[in-house]
Structures are given as C-alpha cells and as structure tokens.
Amino acid sequence: MIYFDHAATTPMKTEVLDAMMPYLTQNFGNPSSIYQIAQLNKKAIDEARDTIAKYLGAKPNEIYFTSGGTESDNWAIKGIAEAYKEKGNHIITSKIEHHAVIHSCEYLEKHGYEVTYLDVDENGVVDLEQLKASIRPTTILITIMYANNEIGTIMPVEEIGRIAKEHDIPFHTDAVQAVGQIKIDVVKQNIDMLSLSSHKINGPKGVGALFIRRGLKVAQFIHGGGQERGRRGGTENVAGIVGFGKAMELTYRNFDKKIANLVYLRSKLIEGILNNVPYAKLNGHPTNRLANNVNISFEFVEGESVLLLLDMQGICASSGSACTSGSLDPSHVLLSIGLPHEKAHGSVRMTLGEGSTQEEVDEVIEKLPAIIKRMRDMSPLYEEFMKKSK
Ligand SMILES: *Cc1c(COP(=O)(O)O)cnc(C)c1O
C-alpha cells in the first residue's frame, strides 16, 4: 500500500505506542487521586506538557490538553466570543479555514455575532490590506489558519499577528497542519491561541491541545472537574497525552533533514505528474506551501473516480478534504481560490509523510497518468474538447 493521505491522519510510531503502553496497563490510576500510581500519571502529563510547550516557544502552563484539533478550535472561538461579548461581536476569519473553524463561526452568527470571511488570492493567501480594512472597534477575534489542510498554502502568520497586536485583538491560529512541518514560535509570531492535534503528527487520535497565552480571557468550554487548572474538565486521556508528547518530540527530531527530504519528494511528484499529464494544474502556493502537500486539478475527470482507481492499485489519496468527501459539494477551499466547479471536482490531494519513499513517488508518477488517460478516454466532454481544439 502507498499511503499518501497524511493530511487526513498519520500512522502512529512504535516509539509512541511504547511510551503509551504503561499508561494503558499498570499505571491506570486517575491523575486526580493521591496514591502513587495516580501521581505517576500526573507527572507523565506534565512532562508531555513541557515538551509540547518547548516546541511552540510557550510556557507549560499555557498548554491545555483537549480531545483534538476540533475541540481546540471550538474552544478558542466560542471561548473568546463569550469572554469578550461586552466588548464586541465581530470576528474575522478566512474563507478557507477547516470546518472546525468555519462551522464554529457560523454557529456564532446564529447567536448574534458578525463574521467577516476574508478572501484569498489564487494561491490561497489572505489579503493583509483587506484584513486591516475589516477591523472594527467591535472586533474581538482574528482566527486564521497557519497552513491549509487541502492546498498546503502557508499563511503570513507573523504579519497577521503583528496587525492583531497593533489593534489589541486576540489572534488564534489553527496550526494542526503546520505543527511538525514548520518551526513555530508563539512569542515571535504574536500568536495568542494555537490549536494542535496529535494524530496529524504520528501520535494517537482523540487528543490535542490549545495554547492560550497567559492572561488572555477565554471562557471555559468543557465544564466539569478541576482538571487542566480548572479550565477544561474531564479525566485526562493520560496515555493519549503521553503519546502526543512523544510524537511532538519525534516530529521535531532531525527536523531540517526530514523537511528537506519531504520537499524533494513532493517536488518530484509534482513535476512527474505535471510533465506526464496535460491539462493539469497545481493548486496552492507554488513555493510557500507545506513540505508534504501536493494538490492537482485534472480537467475532464472526477477526483472521486480517480481515488477509486488509485485505491484499486493500492494508493491512498484524497480529493478535497476527507471531512467533505461523501458529499458532492466541491471543496470550499478550491472554490475560494477561484477554481470553477468542474475543476474543483477534478482535484486530487496527495500528502506525504515521514515514511514516504522515492520508490512510492516513482510508482505514483508511473500509474496516475494512465488512470487519468483512461478516464478521459471515456469522457464525452474530453472528446468534444479534443475535436474542437483540432
Ligand atoms: C485535522 C484538522 C483539524 C481537526 O483535528 P482533529 O484532531 O481531527 O479534530 C482541524 N484543523 C485542521 C487544519 C486539520 O487539518
């Protein structure tokens, strides 16, 4: 099997599982209890917190564990909306956010909040002038993703952070795709809140974190016990948190070498496909994109059908994003960068990961053009187009 869908999720490393194992078996105590097996758990959680804080340039007491990227995004957005409701009701985000952000904003719109969805250019980058022009006295939050999960475009986060700071507006960023592929520094980049998720960096599913800058007012989202310094109730997912911490440490080990290798493989894959398939176009920023992301539109084909044929050859990829496949609406991200419906429908995303190899890239370059050709040969639209262009 060739797994080129690392933006959807990643395989867990054995070292991560090994680190988790004791907390699933003998160290099963509840971290809130006072006996030794419980206190060992508390210590393990704090170590994971230290590791995650270190790689974000944050302080350990600014990291709050959650059930994943989706909860972190919900907490950041709804938590600020509630805490700042006396100050204002306006939120600024972009049109190409993950659904965890878009749907949280839409939910707030039903409850009296106003949301500006910033446009992006053809590469998927927000317009900083439009951002500045959208700021109102009532703006209480700017939430813009660090890097896009579908097209891989990296946003000008540091500039956005600077603008937010100048206007004294909290800045949240969904960095679920950026973590592990970009070096993050929440202080230098003026980030007030940042969402991350374990299963996108070879850790376990169902665990993530929200960085909240010390002193920032954010309402509680999950009410319950006094866990996470009273700000996020619920018995901790101890094994998950330990695995997340281990995954974080491993993802930033040999970082430069790993990223250089991913960029090399990704570029090979893009070149190989574009050189062998006519009427194909790369989506997302040509250079300022995630090291692992390839997203290409093929005219005259359906992305979903390409996926099925790839799957028959043992190749896992995705069209648009995994959350929306199953529905036939074209991806909001691809439409926002200006693709017409038919081109958005003909898009395929391939995302590489740590285990990806040159052989796998070569195999996809060999098989994909034949799949596209086979589908076009059956397409009446393509036939008509070829007749006309003669
Ligand atoms: C995967 C993803 C999420 C959701 O994270 P979960 O841990 O799966 O809930 C949010 N934002 C982005 C950009 C993602 O890629």
Side-chain angles (χ1 to χ4, degrees), residues 188-224:
K188 190 163 153 253
Q189 294 158 344
N190 290 314
I191 296 165
D192 297 306
M193 280 178 295
L194 179 143
S195 302
L196 60 164
S197 175
S198 153
H199 76 102
K200 304 286 175 82
I201 57 165
N202 303 93
K205 293 174 179 57
V207 59
L210 180 64
F211 153 76
I212 304 177
R213 181 181 297 292
R214 224 183 112 193
L216 183 68
K217 237 179 14 167
V218 185
Q220 192 160 351
F221 182 60
I222 301 285
H223 298 89

mmCIF file of all heavy atoms in Angstrom, residues 188-224:
data_model
loop_
_atom_site.group_PDB
_atom_site.id
_atom_site.type_symbol
_atom_site.label_atom_id
_atom_site.label_comp_id
_atom_site.label_asym_id
_atom_site.label_seq_id
_atom_site.Cartn_x
_atom_site.Cartn_y
_atom_site.Cartn_z
ATOM 1 N N LYS A 188 7.413 35.105 19.090
ATOM 2 C CA LYS A 188 7.896 35.865 17.945
ATOM 3 C C LYS A 188 6.759 36.147 16.958
ATOM 4 O O LYS A 188 6.720 37.197 16.326
ATOM 5 C CB LYS A 188 9.001 35.053 17.257
ATOM 6 C CG LYS A 188 9.751 35.800 16.208
ATOM 7 C CD LYS A 188 11.073 35.109 15.861
ATOM 8 C CE LYS A 188 11.447 35.445 14.444
ATOM 9 N NZ LYS A 188 11.276 34.320 13.498
ATOM 10 N N GLN A 189 5.844 35.202 16.829
ATOM 11 C CA GLN A 189 4.780 35.342 15.832
ATOM 12 C C GLN A 189 3.516 35.992 16.391
ATOM 13 O O GLN A 189 2.504 36.065 15.691
ATOM 14 C CB GLN A 189 4.497 33.964 15.213
ATOM 15 C CG GLN A 189 5.721 33.480 14.415
ATOM 16 C CD GLN A 189 5.778 31.981 14.200
ATOM 17 O OE1 GLN A 189 5.082 31.221 14.860
ATOM 18 N NE2 GLN A 189 6.632 31.545 13.291
ATOM 19 N N ASN A 190 3.595 36.487 17.626
ATOM 20 C CA ASN A 190 2.444 37.188 18.241
ATOM 21 C C ASN A 190 1.153 36.381 18.194
ATOM 22 O O ASN A 190 0.080 36.908 17.876
ATOM 23 C CB ASN A 190 2.194 38.538 17.550
ATOM 24 C CG ASN A 190 3.290 39.524 17.869
ATOM 25 O OD1 ASN A 190 3.689 39.657 19.019
ATOM 26 N ND2 ASN A 190 3.790 40.188 16.852
ATOM 27 N N ILE A 191 1.258 35.097 18.496
ATOM 28 C CA ILE A 191 0.064 34.238 18.486
ATOM 29 C C ILE A 191 -0.480 34.170 19.918
ATOM 30 O O ILE A 191 0.271 33.934 20.867
ATOM 31 C CB ILE A 191 0.424 32.827 17.963
ATOM 32 C CG1 ILE A 191 0.878 32.914 16.500
ATOM 33 C CG2 ILE A 191 -0.748 31.861 18.131
ATOM 34 C CD1 ILE A 191 1.577 31.676 15.988
ATOM 35 N N ASP A 192 -1.781 34.385 20.069
ATOM 36 C CA ASP A 192 -2.391 34.345 21.406
ATOM 37 C C ASP A 192 -3.004 32.990 21.730
ATOM 38 O O ASP A 192 -3.126 32.609 22.888
ATOM 39 C CB ASP A 192 -3.477 35.422 21.526
ATOM 40 C CG ASP A 192 -2.880 36.809 21.385
ATOM 41 O OD1 ASP A 192 -1.941 37.116 22.137
ATOM 42 O OD2 ASP A 192 -3.320 37.567 20.499
ATOM 43 N N MET A 193 -3.468 32.301 20.681
ATOM 44 C CA MET A 193 -4.047 30.961 20.850
ATOM 45 C C MET A 193 -3.673 30.132 19.638
ATOM 46 O O MET A 193 -3.681 30.642 18.511
ATOM 47 C CB MET A 193 -5.577 31.047 20.943
ATOM 48 C CG MET A 193 -6.105 31.444 22.294
ATOM 49 S SD MET A 193 -7.900 31.564 22.223
ATOM 50 C CE MET A 193 -8.072 32.918 21.101
ATOM 51 N N LEU A 194 -3.367 28.856 19.866
ATOM 52 C CA LEU A 194 -2.955 27.996 18.763
ATOM 53 C C LEU A 194 -3.490 26.585 18.996
ATOM 54 O O LEU A 194 -3.346 26.037 20.082
ATOM 55 C CB LEU A 194 -1.422 28.012 18.671
ATOM 56 C CG LEU A 194 -0.755 27.167 17.589
ATOM 57 C CD1 LEU A 194 0.467 27.892 17.010
ATOM 58 C CD2 LEU A 194 -0.323 25.809 18.124
ATOM 59 N N SER A 195 -4.139 26.029 17.949
ATOM 60 C CA SER A 195 -4.698 24.677 18.044
ATOM 61 C C SER A 195 -3.743 23.674 17.429
ATOM 62 O O SER A 195 -3.175 23.928 16.359
ATOM 63 C CB SER A 195 -6.012 24.579 17.268
ATOM 64 O OG SER A 195 -6.943 25.506 17.750
ATOM 65 N N LEU A 196 -3.598 22.529 18.096
ATOM 66 C CA LEU A 196 -2.811 21.449 17.502
ATOM 67 C C LEU A 196 -3.450 20.106 17.812
ATOM 68 O O LEU A 196 -4.300 20.002 18.695
ATOM 69 C CB LEU A 196 -1.340 21.499 17.907
ATOM 70 C CG LEU A 196 -0.881 21.407 19.353
ATOM 71 C CD1 LEU A 196 0.605 21.099 19.385
ATOM 72 C CD2 LEU A 196 -1.129 22.684 20.109
ATOM 73 N N SER A 197 -3.057 19.097 17.020
ATOM 74 C CA SER A 197 -3.682 17.783 17.126
ATOM 75 C C SER A 197 -2.619 16.702 17.015
ATOM 76 O O SER A 197 -1.717 16.788 16.187
ATOM 77 C CB SER A 197 -4.708 17.626 16.012
ATOM 78 O OG SER A 197 -5.240 16.323 16.030
ATOM 79 N N SER A 198 -2.765 15.675 17.838
ATOM 80 C CA SER A 198 -1.750 14.623 17.912
ATOM 81 C C SER A 198 -1.728 13.705 16.688
ATOM 82 O O SER A 198 -0.664 13.325 16.203
ATOM 83 C CB SER A 198 -2.001 13.818 19.196
ATOM 84 O OG SER A 198 -1.545 12.511 19.100
ATOM 85 N N HIS A 199 -2.913 13.351 16.157
ATOM 86 C CA HIS A 199 -2.914 12.304 15.114
ATOM 87 C C HIS A 199 -2.419 12.790 13.754
ATOM 88 O O HIS A 199 -2.252 11.986 12.839
ATOM 89 C CB HIS A 199 -4.301 11.645 14.996
ATOM 90 C CG HIS A 199 -5.347 12.438 14.295
ATOM 91 N ND1 HIS A 199 -5.718 12.178 12.995
ATOM 92 C CD2 HIS A 199 -6.115 13.469 14.694
ATOM 93 C CE1 HIS A 199 -6.692 13.018 12.641
ATOM 94 N NE2 HIS A 199 -6.944 13.815 13.660
ATOM 95 N N LYS A 200 -2.142 14.091 13.628
ATOM 96 C CA LYS A 200 -1.566 14.581 12.383
ATOM 97 C C LYS A 200 -0.034 14.544 12.429
ATOM 98 O O LYS A 200 0.621 14.854 11.452
ATOM 99 C CB LYS A 200 -2.037 16.015 12.102
ATOM 100 C CG LYS A 200 -3.568 16.193 12.052
ATOM 101 C CD LYS A 200 -4.184 15.639 10.785
ATOM 102 C CE LYS A 200 -5.701 15.704 10.758
ATOM 103 N NZ LYS A 200 -6.265 16.979 10.374
ATOM 104 N N ILE A 201 0.513 14.203 13.598
ATOM 105 C CA ILE A 201 1.985 14.156 13.732
ATOM 106 C C ILE A 201 2.439 12.783 14.243
ATOM 107 O O ILE A 201 3.349 12.680 15.063
ATOM 108 C CB ILE A 201 2.532 15.287 14.642
ATOM 109 C CG1 ILE A 201 1.904 15.264 16.045
ATOM 110 C CG2 ILE A 201 2.324 16.662 14.002
ATOM 111 C CD1 ILE A 201 2.660 16.107 17.077
ATOM 112 N N ASN A 202 1.795 11.741 13.756
ATOM 113 C CA ASN A 202 2.158 10.364 14.105
ATOM 114 C C ASN A 202 1.921 10.023 15.578
ATOM 115 O O ASN A 202 2.595 9.158 16.140
ATOM 116 C CB ASN A 202 3.618 10.049 13.720
ATOM 117 C CG ASN A 202 3.887 10.272 12.248
ATOM 118 O OD1 ASN A 202 4.331 11.363 11.846
ATOM 119 N ND2 ASN A 202 3.594 9.298 11.429
ATOM 120 N N GLY A 203 0.977 10.714 16.190
ATOM 121 C CA GLY A 203 0.559 10.377 17.554
ATOM 122 C C GLY A 203 -0.820 9.733 17.516
ATOM 123 O O GLY A 203 -1.395 9.529 16.438
ATOM 124 N N PRO A 204 -1.370 9.435 18.701
ATOM 125 C CA PRO A 204 -2.702 8.804 18.744
ATOM 126 C C PRO A 204 -3.824 9.771 18.396
ATOM 127 O O PRO A 204 -3.674 10.983 18.517
ATOM 128 C CB PRO A 204 -2.812 8.350 20.208
ATOM 129 C CG PRO A 204 -1.910 9.266 20.963
ATOM 130 C CD PRO A 204 -0.777 9.620 20.036
ATOM 131 N N LYS A 205 -4.961 9.223 17.993
ATOM 132 C CA LYS A 205 -6.146 10.030 17.692
ATOM 133 C C LYS A 205 -6.877 10.408 18.983
ATOM 134 O O LYS A 205 -6.724 9.753 20.001
ATOM 135 C CB LYS A 205 -7.081 9.254 16.768
ATOM 136 C CG LYS A 205 -6.491 9.036 15.380
ATOM 137 C CD LYS A 205 -7.372 8.146 14.539
ATOM 138 C CE LYS A 205 -6.796 7.952 13.142
ATOM 139 N NZ LYS A 205 -5.413 7.384 13.137
ATOM 140 N N GLY A 206 -7.681 11.467 18.905
ATOM 141 C CA GLY A 206 -8.514 11.829 20.056
ATOM 142 C C GLY A 206 -7.808 12.625 21.129
ATOM 143 O O GLY A 206 -8.274 12.689 22.260
ATOM 144 N N VAL A 207 -6.690 13.243 20.782
ATOM 145 C CA VAL A 207 -6.014 14.116 21.751
ATOM 146 C C VAL A 207 -5.376 15.282 21.000
ATOM 147 O O VAL A 207 -4.909 15.135 19.868
ATOM 148 C CB VAL A 207 -4.994 13.334 22.626
ATOM 149 C CG1 VAL A 207 -3.934 12.659 21.791
ATOM 150 C CG2 VAL A 207 -4.376 14.229 23.699
ATOM 151 N N GLY A 208 -5.422 16.431 21.607
ATOM 152 C CA GLY A 208 -4.843 17.627 21.013
ATOM 153 C C GLY A 208 -4.580 18.630 22.116
ATOM 154 O O GLY A 208 -4.613 18.283 23.299
ATOM 155 N N ALA A 209 -4.312 19.860 21.721
ATOM 156 C CA ALA A 209 -4.063 20.881 22.743
ATOM 157 C C ALA A 209 -4.436 22.250 22.208
ATOM 158 O O ALA A 209 -4.519 22.462 20.991
ATOM 159 C CB ALA A 209 -2.590 20.877 23.166
ATOM 160 N N LEU A 210 -4.696 23.144 23.142
ATOM 161 C CA LEU A 210 -4.862 24.554 22.811
ATOM 162 C C LEU A 210 -3.845 25.335 23.633
ATOM 163 O O LEU A 210 -3.771 25.163 24.855
ATOM 164 C CB LEU A 210 -6.290 25.024 23.135
ATOM 165 C CG LEU A 210 -6.587 26.498 22.819
ATOM 166 C CD1 LEU A 210 -6.498 26.791 21.324
ATOM 167 C CD2 LEU A 210 -7.976 26.895 23.344
ATOM 168 N N PHE A 211 -3.034 26.133 22.936
ATOM 169 C CA PHE A 211 -2.150 27.076 23.628
ATOM 170 C C PHE A 211 -2.977 28.333 23.880
ATOM 171 O O PHE A 211 -3.613 28.857 22.960
ATOM 172 C CB PHE A 211 -0.929 27.391 22.762
ATOM 173 C CG PHE A 211 -0.321 28.749 23.026
ATOM 174 C CD1 PHE A 211 0.462 28.971 24.157
ATOM 175 C CD2 PHE A 211 -0.558 29.820 22.161
ATOM 176 C CE1 PHE A 211 1.001 30.236 24.414
ATOM 177 C CE2 PHE A 211 -0.030 31.082 22.412
ATOM 178 C CZ PHE A 211 0.754 31.291 23.546
ATOM 179 N N ILE A 212 -2.997 28.780 25.131
ATOM 180 C CA ILE A 212 -3.659 30.049 25.461
ATOM 181 C C ILE A 212 -2.638 30.924 26.177
ATOM 182 O O ILE A 212 -2.122 30.543 27.240
ATOM 183 C CB ILE A 212 -4.879 29.846 26.399
ATOM 184 C CG1 ILE A 212 -5.884 28.863 25.793
ATOM 185 C CG2 ILE A 212 -5.553 31.188 26.703
ATOM 186 C CD1 ILE A 212 -7.081 28.553 26.697
ATOM 187 N N ARG A 213 -2.322 32.054 25.566
ATOM 188 C CA ARG A 213 -1.348 32.959 26.175
ATOM 189 C C ARG A 213 -1.796 33.328 27.584
ATOM 190 O O ARG A 213 -2.973 33.573 27.839
ATOM 191 C CB ARG A 213 -1.197 34.222 25.336
ATOM 192 C CG ARG A 213 -0.176 35.191 25.912
ATOM 193 C CD ARG A 213 -0.060 36.437 25.074
ATOM 194 N NE ARG A 213 0.422 36.127 23.723
ATOM 195 C CZ ARG A 213 1.650 35.699 23.440
ATOM 196 N NH1 ARG A 213 2.543 35.534 24.389
ATOM 197 N NH2 ARG A 213 1.991 35.438 22.200
ATOM 198 N N ARG A 214 -0.812 33.358 28.499
ATOM 199 C CA ARG A 214 -1.129 33.650 29.890
ATOM 200 C C ARG A 214 -1.790 35.011 30.020
ATOM 201 O O ARG A 214 -1.345 35.979 29.412
ATOM 202 C CB ARG A 214 0.170 33.638 30.721
ATOM 203 C CG ARG A 214 -0.022 32.900 32.032
ATOM 204 C CD ARG A 214 1.213 32.940 32.863
ATOM 205 N NE ARG A 214 0.959 33.767 34.043
ATOM 206 C CZ ARG A 214 1.911 34.193 34.843
ATOM 207 N NH1 ARG A 214 3.163 33.908 34.590
ATOM 208 N NH2 ARG A 214 1.598 34.901 35.883
ATOM 209 N N GLY A 215 -2.879 35.062 30.763
ATOM 210 C CA GLY A 215 -3.562 36.333 30.991
ATOM 211 C C GLY A 215 -4.700 36.582 30.007
ATOM 212 O O GLY A 215 -5.523 37.468 30.248
ATOM 213 N N LEU A 216 -4.752 35.802 28.914
ATOM 214 C CA LEU A 216 -5.847 36.021 27.955
ATOM 215 C C LEU A 216 -7.148 35.455 28.529
ATOM 216 O O LEU A 216 -7.183 34.352 29.058
ATOM 217 C CB LEU A 216 -5.521 35.321 26.627
ATOM 218 C CG LEU A 216 -6.548 35.527 25.514
ATOM 219 C CD1 LEU A 216 -6.557 36.972 25.032
ATOM 220 C CD2 LEU A 216 -6.242 34.599 24.329
ATOM 221 N N LYS A 217 -8.199 36.257 28.389
ATOM 222 C CA LYS A 217 -9.510 35.856 28.904
ATOM 223 C C LYS A 217 -10.192 34.945 27.887
ATOM 224 O O LYS A 217 -10.475 35.355 26.778
ATOM 225 C CB LYS A 217 -10.369 37.124 29.064
ATOM 226 C CG LYS A 217 -10.888 37.340 30.450
ATOM 227 C CD LYS A 217 -11.716 38.611 30.638
ATOM 228 C CE LYS A 217 -12.192 39.337 29.418
ATOM 229 N NZ LYS A 217 -13.208 40.369 29.633
ATOM 230 N N VAL A 218 -10.451 33.685 28.252
ATOM 231 C CA VAL A 218 -11.165 32.757 27.368
ATOM 232 C C VAL A 218 -12.137 31.974 28.239
ATOM 233 O O VAL A 218 -11.734 31.386 29.245
ATOM 234 C CB VAL A 218 -10.197 31.751 26.687
ATOM 235 C CG1 VAL A 218 -10.947 30.892 25.680
ATOM 236 C CG2 VAL A 218 -9.061 32.472 25.989
ATOM 237 N N ALA A 219 -13.420 31.988 27.872
ATOM 238 C CA ALA A 219 -14.408 31.287 28.699
ATOM 239 C C ALA A 219 -14.176 29.785 28.641
ATOM 240 O O ALA A 219 -13.654 29.260 27.656
ATOM 241 C CB ALA A 219 -15.818 31.624 28.223
ATOM 242 N N GLN A 220 -14.593 29.103 29.700
ATOM 243 C CA GLN A 220 -14.473 27.648 29.742
ATOM 244 C C GLN A 220 -15.415 27.032 28.715
ATOM 245 O O GLN A 220 -16.501 27.545 28.468
ATOM 246 C CB GLN A 220 -14.835 27.158 31.148
ATOM 247 C CG GLN A 220 -14.460 25.714 31.368
ATOM 248 C CD GLN A 220 -14.352 25.379 32.834
ATOM 249 O OE1 GLN A 220 -14.403 26.257 33.689
ATOM 250 N NE2 GLN A 220 -14.188 24.108 33.137
ATOM 251 N N PHE A 221 -14.997 25.931 28.122
ATOM 252 C CA PHE A 221 -15.799 25.295 27.071
ATOM 253 C C PHE A 221 -16.367 23.955 27.548
ATOM 254 O O PHE A 221 -17.544 23.686 27.391
ATOM 255 C CB PHE A 221 -14.929 25.127 25.824
ATOM 256 C CG PHE A 221 -15.644 24.540 24.643
ATOM 257 C CD1 PHE A 221 -16.750 25.176 24.091
ATOM 258 C CD2 PHE A 221 -15.211 23.351 24.067
ATOM 259 C CE1 PHE A 221 -17.411 24.636 22.995
ATOM 260 C CE2 PHE A 221 -15.865 22.809 22.971
ATOM 261 C CZ PHE A 221 -16.973 23.449 22.437
ATOM 262 N N ILE A 222 -15.514 23.117 28.137
ATOM 263 C CA ILE A 222 -15.974 21.844 28.692
ATOM 264 C C ILE A 222 -16.033 21.999 30.214
ATOM 265 O O ILE A 222 -14.996 22.160 30.865
ATOM 266 C CB ILE A 222 -15.008 20.692 28.331
ATOM 267 C CG1 ILE A 222 -14.872 20.536 26.807
ATOM 268 C CG2 ILE A 222 -15.461 19.375 28.981
ATOM 269 C CD1 ILE A 222 -16.030 19.896 26.101
ATOM 270 N N HIS A 223 -17.234 21.984 30.767
ATOM 271 C CA HIS A 223 -17.389 22.150 32.212
ATOM 272 C C HIS A 223 -17.359 20.807 32.909
ATOM 273 O O HIS A 223 -17.915 19.833 32.415
ATOM 274 C CB HIS A 223 -18.700 22.880 32.526
ATOM 275 C CG HIS A 223 -18.743 24.259 31.941
ATOM 276 N ND1 HIS A 223 -19.209 24.511 30.665
ATOM 277 C CD2 HIS A 223 -18.340 25.441 32.445
ATOM 278 C CE1 HIS A 223 -19.087 25.800 30.406
ATOM 279 N NE2 HIS A 223 -18.562 26.399 31.468
ATOM 280 N N GLY A 224 -16.705 20.766 34.053
ATOM 281 C CA GLY A 224 -16.604 19.505 34.778
ATOM 282 C C GLY A 224 -15.711 19.679 35.980
ATOM 283 O O GLY A 224 -15.825 20.681 36.700
#
